Amino acid sequence: MTKEEVDSLYQDFYQQHPFTHIITEPLYLKQVVNTNKCLIQIEKTGDQLVVHSAIDNLLKGAVGQAVQNMNLMMGIDETAGLQLKSSYF
């Protein structure tokens, strides 16, 4: 598969996931700090595929996941209270 085909496959799979984003530009941690986002960047070198991902482990890893699960359990929009903007330092 070409890199474009792999990118398209990932885009299609994560299309309905509000906090997972496939990016084509380089991945920087500053893009996810203080957010509930998971950014995925795919790199292809020869026959090998390297998948890079970045999250803020406090929000996406613990607090954000708890809020997202609570939202789902309460029957409200899973993104409620989690549409935060990253703070670049």
Side-chain angles (χ1 to χ4, degrees):
M1 295 180 84
T2 66
K3 182 184 178 313
E4 290 75 23
E5 291 172 328
V6 174
D7 283 340
S8 178
L9 183 69
Y10 271 72
Q11 288 281 1
D12 291 344
F13 183 82
Y14 287 108
Q15 183 175 334
Q16 300 300 318
H17 296 80
F19 297 112
T20 305
H21 306 280
I22 310 304
I23 61 172
T24 55
E25 67 271 3
L27 182 63
Y28 298 101
L29 292 178
K30 291 180 181 182
Q31 295 169 304
V32 296
V33 172
N34 294 329
T35 72
N36 196 50
K37 292 180 185 175
C38 173
L39 297 183
I40 298 174
Q41 188 256 343
I42 299 161
E43 179 183 343
K44 188 166 190 234
T45 306
D47 290 339
Q48 293 196 351
L49 188 67
V50 180
V51 179
H52 304 274
S53 65
I55 64 169
D56 181 326
N57 67 327
L58 293 176
L59 288 176
K60 184 63 179 169
V63 177
Q65 191 63 50
V67 171
Q68 189 174 354
N69 288 339
M70 180 191 67
N71 289 344
L72 290 169
M73 289 172 47
M74 302 293 281
I76 59 179
D77 179 35
E78 70 178 291
T79 64
L82 295 171
Q83 298 292 347
L84 308 171
K85 293 183 181 180
S86 61
S87 61
Y88 291 89
F89 32 93

